């Protein structure tokens, strides 16, 4: 991959990831989508980008799975999913635990009548044991009414021990790889929102096990660059290794907007300007869907000066992580509130 004039961090070995991340944080040069030739191709109302080295083409906007479970009216949620697909969103985000499986059930219904073949379907599992992971994979397939998941991700890698659990003998990776061999899963990734060092450690443990992920999901937003930054410390590694970048928490769900420093469109534009394959955003009503398409319509690659101005505006508010509660609180830690999901405690 040609990264042009910007120099990515070169890690001498997997064990140097954290040290290199620390060194980079004080002299970081932003990475932009245009620097890695992944600005996207416009088709209809949507821009599409490559998902890492997979060759898959995914929509720049991904439909957030948690939000699709929030509307009280299931039929409205189903109609919203189908409207998003009709207008060009093909990346579907979901998770085994969202709304006790309700989000997957709704998406499974929406993807009937030919819609399944129009999308790149992603879901996540919480299980850290082979047994719990295998069970959750099969439950997700049943709820989603499909025989395959395009991208399956280990969810909430938020503890330093999570990578060890995933890759341990009898761990969840064994179940995921068996599911891939069986044709139930096409690509494999992981997600997390707590600390970039946990992501770096997951990548390190994967490398020690001769495994390379196809995609990684993490917070990428106008405040992340100032505090425990995934953009500064993890993004360069993913770009270097041609791993698909899935951005989330562009608006902090929705705490970043409460800082009154940026608008929703600015939040989306900032995340789109990074070398993200897709920016997953919560869409629970038609007006928010329209807002996402407006962001795509008005998106233009941003200059360093434009990015710097936006970051200067958010610097003070972002300094302590008070608007990124997924990093600084347990509010977003579903597996901490429900440890049985990990498979170590009988439910």
């Amino acid at each position: 991959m040609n990264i042009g004039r910007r120099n990515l961090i070169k890690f001498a070995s997997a064990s140097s990831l954290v040290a290199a991340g620390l060194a980079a944080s004080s002299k970081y040069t932003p990475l932009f989508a245009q620097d890695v030739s992944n600005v996207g191709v416009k088709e209809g109302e949507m821009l599409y980008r490559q998902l890492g080295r997979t060759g898959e083409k995914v929509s720049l906007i991904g439909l957030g799975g948690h939000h699709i479970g929030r509307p009280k009216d299931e039929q409205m949620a189903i109609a919203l999913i189908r409207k998003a697909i009709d207008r060009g969103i093909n990346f579907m985000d979901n998770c085994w635990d969202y709304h006790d499986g309700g989000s997957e059930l709704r998406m499974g219904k929406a993807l009937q009548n030919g819609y399944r073949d129009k999308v790149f379907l992603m879901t996540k599992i919480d299980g850290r044991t082979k047994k719990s992971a295998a069970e959750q994979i099969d439950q997700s397939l049943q709820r989603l009414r499909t025989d395959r998941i395009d991208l399956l991700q280990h969810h909430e890698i938020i503890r330093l021990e999570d990578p060890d659990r995933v890759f341990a003998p009898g761990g969840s990776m064994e179940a995921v790889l068996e599911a891939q061999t069986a044709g139930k899963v096409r690509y494999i990734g992981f997600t997390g929102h707590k600390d970039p060092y946990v992501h770096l450690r997951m990548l390190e443990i994967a490398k020690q096990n001769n495994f390379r992920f196809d995609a990684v999901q993490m917070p990428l937003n106008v405040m992340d660059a100032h505090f425990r930054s995934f953009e500064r410390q993890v993004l360069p590694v993913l770009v270097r290794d041609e791993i698909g970048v899935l951005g989330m928490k562009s608006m902090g769900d929705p705490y970043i907007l409460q800082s009154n420093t940026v608008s929703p469109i600015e939040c989306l534009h900032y995340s789109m300007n990074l070398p993200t394959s897709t920016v997953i955003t919560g869409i629970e009503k038609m007006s928010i869907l329209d807002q996402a398409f407006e962001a795509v319509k008005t998106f233009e690659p941003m200059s360093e000066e434009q990015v710097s101005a936006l970051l200067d505006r958010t610097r003070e508010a972002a300094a302590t992580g008070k608007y990124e509660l997924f990093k600084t609180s347990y509010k977003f830690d579903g597996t901490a509130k429900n440890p049985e999901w990990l498979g170590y405690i009988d439910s």
Side-chain angles (χ1 to χ4, degrees):
M1 178 177 291
N2 179 17
I3 305 177
R5 62 188 173 84
R6 301 179 189 280
N7 294 320
L8 293 181
I9 301 167
K10 301 297 184 182
F11 296 105
S13 66
S15 62
S16 68
L17 286 172
V18 171
L22 279 168
S25 62
S26 62
K27 55 181 180 181
Y28 175 71
T29 300
L31 285 170
F32 300 156
Q34 59 265 35
D35 296 322
V36 297
S37 302
N38 201 19
V39 174
V41 176
K42 189 75 173 290
E43 294 181 17
E45 293 186 81
M46 183 52 58
L47 277 166
Y48 297 89
R49 289 180 176 173
Q50 294 295 315
L51 180 66
R53 68 188 184 283
T54 67
E56 301 289 342
K57 185 176 68 174
V58 295
S59 52
L60 184 50
I61 291 290
L63 185 75
H66 193 278
H67 284 248
I68 214 64
R70 295 182 182 182
K72 293 182 179 180
D73 185 345
E74 180 182 77
Q75 290 306 310
M76 190 274 279
I78 291 171
L80 182 58
I81 294 169
R82 291 186 170 181
K83 185 67 172 178
I85 297 169
D86 289 339
R87 293 181 66 178
I89 293 178
N90 72 355
F91 192 98
M92 298 288 113
D93 164 88
N94 222 307
C95 183
W96 172 84
D97 69 52
Y98 287 164
H99 301 281
D100 296 320
S103 287
E104 288 187 331
L105 287 169
R106 288 183 173 189
M107 191 163 284
K109 293 176 182 179
L111 295 181
Q112 299 308 295
N113 302 318
Y115 278 90
R116 172 64 186 92
D117 293 332
K118 298 179 180 180
V119 303
F120 185 88
L121 180 60
M122 180 269 277
T123 198
K124 319 176 195 82
I125 56 167
D126 298 310
R128 299 290 188 261
T129 66
K130 181 178 181 180
K131 179 178 183 294
S132 61
E135 290 174 350
Q136 290 172 15
I137 291 168
D138 286 340
Q139 289 167 1
S140 290
L141 287 165
Q142 291 170 7
R143 293 169 182 165
L144 292 166
R145 300 190 184 188
T146 186
D147 62 352
R148 71 200 183 282
I149 295 165
D150 294 308
L151 172 62
L152 184 75
Q153 301 204 94
H154 299 276
H155 189 220
E156 284 197 7
I157 303 300
I158 58 176
R159 312 161 189 83
L160 285 173
E161 67 271 19
D162 281 338
D164 302 282
R165 290 175 166 184
V166 168
F167 283 96
S172 55
M173 185 57 85
E174 290 186 4
V176 173
L177 290 173
E178 287 185 7
Q180 187 180 51
T181 299
K184 297 177 181 179
V185 170
R186 298 180 62 213
Y187 302 109
I188 301 169
F190 74 90
T191 82
H193 55 252
K194 189 59 64 181
D195 194 294
Y197 297 141
V198 181
H199 270 52
L200 292 173
R201 190 162 193 281
M202 185 68 159
L203 294 166
E204 176 183 355
I205 297 300
K207 186 172 183 178
Q208 290 175 7
N209 284 272
N210 298 312
F211 183 83
R212 183 168 65 167
F213 287 101
D214 298 301
V216 171
Q217 185 170 333
M218 58 191 184
L220 291 170
N221 60 62
V222 295
M223 292 191 174
D224 169 78
H226 302 299
F227 180 80
R228 280 162 42 182
S229 178
F230 287 87
E231 175 189 335
R232 290 171 179 257
Q233 296 172 38
V234 182
L235 184 61
V237 181
L238 302 184
V239 172
R240 182 199 67 190
D241 292 345
E242 297 184 88
I243 296 172
V245 179
L246 310 180
M248 65 174 172
K249 305 287 193 288
S250 62
M251 303 177 205
D253 196 24
Y255 298 101
I256 289 173
L257 297 180
Q258 295 176 6
S259 71
N260 296 317
T261 59
V262 284
S263 69
I265 296 291
E266 287 176 319
C267 287
L268 289 170
H269 281 176
Y270 182 87
S271 299
M272 292 173 175
N273 199 62
L274 298 171
T276 44
S277 297
T278 191
V279 176
I280 299 166
T281 188
I283 298 173
E284 56 197 85
K285 53 186 178 180
M286 290 295 179
S287 61
I288 302 300
L289 180 66
D290 291 338
Q291 175 181 274
F293 276 94
E294 180 64 19
V296 174
K297 179 182 178 181
T298 57
F299 174 69
E300 295 287 345
M302 299 166 66
S303 67
E304 285 190 43
E305 291 73 23
Q306 289 173 310
V307 171
S308 294
L310 194 54
L311 291 178
D312 285 344
R313 202 196 311 166
T314 59
R315 188 180 309 279
E316 183 176 353
T320 62
K322 64 183 289 188
Y323 295 107
E324 291 189 278
L325 294 184
F326 41 88
K327 294 179 181 177
T328 58
S329 76
Y330 289 103
K331 184 176 179 65
F332 292 84
D333 301 352
T335 54
K337 300 173 185 176
N338 301 275
E340 68 277 7
W341 292 351
L342 298 172
Y344 297 107
I345 300 175
D346 291 335
S347 56

